[in-house]
Amino acid sequence: MRSPNPWALIGLFLAVAVAGCVAVFALSARPWAVLAVLAAGVAAGTINTIVGSGSLITFPTLLAVGLPPITANVSNNIGLVPGGVTGVLGYRAELAGQRGRLTRLAPASVLGALVGGLLLLNLPEQAFTAVVVVLIGLSCVLVLTQPMISRRLASRPRRAHGGPWLLLGVFAGGVYGGYFGAAQGVLLVGLLGIFLDEELQRVNAAKNLLTMLVNATAAVLYICVAKVDWWAVLLVALGSMIGGVLGARVGRRLPPAILRGVIVCVGVAAVIKLASG
């Protein structure tokens, strides 16, 4: 029996989601808000697939249309999961041969996401802001200096799966992603690029899978214990799925130098955004 075509399933989901969004738009007293959240979801899905930091678009948009901060963060996280799925599917070729490595790293992402999600539900946002800014800034430095560091490390043996330091870093990235998530992709690209002997596109594919697992894990936790705005989830999900497809088509065609530049620019923007509140 043939397995179902994943793109056919995505198309079915999109059709249902479009119908739902049309109904929301028709019944909404504020159609501009529907369009704003949907457009933000498309932009976030595209940016997340290429590098990360899409939450810096959708989260402020949800706040602007009137959602409370925690509800906006939770709904945003759940809505971005479908976009992560389409992004991973778009990078299937670059994921080939990485199963063993990702099997080792995935549990660290999942465990970290659970810890981060629990922190979000029990700690004030201000408690983590300073650390987040430092982590994103460090990740930008890692991405920018990766070619030089890689050349210096070329003569030294490196583990196929990155070793314990990478595992610890992926766990920390999962904690951050479960708590807020903006620019977790930048952090992961920097870590994976330093510890793995891989080209940037394959590193980006691994990043997409790990961030999708983080968002999905945190989403399950949020659905169980947090307040969710399901209309916001629907709009962000539809937009992010479209953006995930677009991001995979664009990102896979970018030369490494350009992709690296995009990553650093988005990371710097994330630092400015978070530092300015």
Side-chain angles (χ1 to χ4, degrees), residues 11-26:
L12 177 62
F13 181 88
L14 284 173
V16 174
V18 167
C21 287
V22 170
V24 174
F25 186 86

Side-chain angles (χ1 to χ4, degrees), residues 108-254:
S109 287
V110 170
L111 182 59
L114 289 173
V115 173
L118 291 173
L119 287 174
L120 173 68
L121 298 173
N122 291 281
L123 294 177
E125 185 177 341
Q126 295 82 355
F128 225 42
T129 300
V131 177
V132 166
V133 170
V134 172
L135 287 175
I136 298 174
L138 177 60
S139 68
C140 289
V141 173
L142 291 176
V143 171
L144 194 61
T145 59
Q146 182 204 332
M148 179 185 66
I149 297 176
S150 296
R151 286 194 297 270
R152 295 198 173 191
L153 294 176
S155 59
R156 303 179 184 180
R158 281 193 280 180
R159 302 186 183 187
H161 304 298
W165 286 111
L166 177 59
L167 196 65
L168 182 61
V170 168
F171 169 77
V175 173
Y176 172 45
Y179 185 87
F180 181 49
Q184 65 168 311
V186 178
L187 177 63
L188 280 176
V189 167
L191 288 168
L192 295 170
I194 293 298
F195 286 99
L196 300 177
D197 187 17
E198 284 285 5
E199 61 181 25
L200 192 57
Q201 291 290 2
R202 284 174 60 80
V203 166
N204 202 41
K207 175 268 296 179
N208 284 339
L209 179 61
L210 293 176
T211 55
M212 187 270 290
L213 288 175
V214 169
N215 288 339
T217 302
V220 172
L221 176 64
Y222 297 155
I223 290 170
C224 293
V225 299
K227 181 180 179 181
V228 179
D229 187 309
W230 288 105
W231 290 121
V233 170
L234 174 63
L235 292 168
V236 173
L238 174 60
S240 70
M241 287 185 73
I242 296 172
V245 175
L246 294 175
R249 290 182 178 274
V250 172
R252 294 176 71 242
R253 288 170 170 77
L254 288 178

Side-chain angles (χ1 to χ4, degrees), residues 60-94:
T61 302
L62 293 177
L63 292 179
V65 300
L67 268 65
I70 296 298
T71 302
N73 194 23
V74 166
S75 304
N76 173 64
N77 180 286
I78 299 171
L80 289 177
V81 172
V85 173
T86 56
V88 169
L89 289 174
Y91 270 83
R92 293 191 309 278
E94 286 76 13

